[in-house]
């Protein structure tokens, strides 16, 4: 894709037996590392009160990933609670698509996250069945319940990683990124 163009990408499922296709407005491109980012806006009206699982999946992850995760489908989810008193919103994160870690050096990175309702957050590794990954964590990586990653990479290359951010009321968001 070219910068500032609209590119059809994939679809979202809303957890109520409906789905929609979407396109991205391309906002940045890195041809050297073979990736791009973009923005889109999706609006959906749910048919009734309840909790729904909004899901994005797309093929394929970038090539060259370590741990058998190269070329696999991406899968990200968030729970959406409609109705209820008080209303509850899912956690939000602004983690970048790629987080750089220094080789053979202890690294610490805190995943940015907040809850629009002020609920306490807990971070966990997304199970492989819910992330599309074959290997859930690179060797030696740890994630605290506060969202702090500690890792000393000993092999050069990129690894895929998925984190589930859950609020104290049970709503959650999964986020997929590259280390």
């Amino acid at each position: 894709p070219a910068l500032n163009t609209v590119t059809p990408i994939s679809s979202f499922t809303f957890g109520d037996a409906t789905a929609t296709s979407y396109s991205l407005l391309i906002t940045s491109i890195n041809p050297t590392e073979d990736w791009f980012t973009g923005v889109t806006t999706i609006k959906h009206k749910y048919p009734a009160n309840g909790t729904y699982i909004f899901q994005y999946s797309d093929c394929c992850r970038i090539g060259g990933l370590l741990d058998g995760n190269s070329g696999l489908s991406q899968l990200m989810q968030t729970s959406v609670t409609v109705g209820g008193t008080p209303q509850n919103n899912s956690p939000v994160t602004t983690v970048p698509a790629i987080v750089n870690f220094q080789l053979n050096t202890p690294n610490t990175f805190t995943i940015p996250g907040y809850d629009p309702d002020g609920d306490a957050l807990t971070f966990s590794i997304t199970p492989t069945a819910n992330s599309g990954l074959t290997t859930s964590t690179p060797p030696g990586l740890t994630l605290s319940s506060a969202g702090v990653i500690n890792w000393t990479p000993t092999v050069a290359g990129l690894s895929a990683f998925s984190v589930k951010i859950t609020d104290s009321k049970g709503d959650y968001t999964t986020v997929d990124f590259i280390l």
Side-chain angles (χ1 to χ4, degrees):
L3 193 61
N4 296 319
T5 62
V6 176
T7 301
I9 298 293
S10 187
S11 65
F12 289 110
T13 58
F14 293 101
D16 63 354
T18 64
T20 188
S21 297
Y22 75 98
S23 297
L24 287 179
L25 171 63
I26 305 303
T27 56
S28 63
I29 300 173
N30 186 322
T32 304
E33 295 179 357
D34 191 26
W35 58 263
F36 62 90
T37 62
V39 296
T40 191
T41 300
I42 303 288
K43 293 183 181 183
H44 181 72
K45 182 174 174 131
Y46 284 94
N49 289 349
T51 300
Y52 302 90
I53 305 302
F54 177 86
Q55 180 173 290
Y56 161 82
S57 62
D58 192 23
C59 178
C60 295
R61 295 177 194 276
I62 63 173
L65 292 174
L66 301 175
D67 306 325
N69 291 320
S70 188
L72 298 177
S73 294
Q74 291 180 304
L75 176 62
M76 290 177 270
Q77 301 175 329
T78 189
S79 56
V80 177
T81 301
V82 178
T85 305
Q87 179 71 30
N88 190 42
N89 294 290
S90 298
V92 177
T93 183
T94 57
V95 68
I98 298 176
V99 178
N100 293 306
F101 283 76
Q102 295 297 312
L103 187 62
N104 297 314
T105 302
N107 295 269
T108 299
F109 176 77
T110 302
I111 299 169
Y114 70 95
D115 186 87
D117 307 308
D119 299 331
L121 299 178
T122 302
F123 295 75
S124 59
I125 297 166
T126 307
T128 55
N130 298 87
S131 68
L133 296 170
T134 299
T135 305
S136 60
T137 58
L141 183 142
T142 62
L143 173 68
S144 76
S145 61
V148 178
I149 297 172
N150 287 293
W151 187 35
T152 302
T154 57
V155 176
L158 299 173
S159 296
F161 189 56
S162 181
V163 173
K164 182 177 182 179
I165 307 169
T166 307
D167 72 17
S168 57
K169 294 181 181 131
D171 278 342
Y172 69 89
T173 297
T174 63
V175 60
D176 188 285
F177 53 103
I178 304 295
L179 305 172

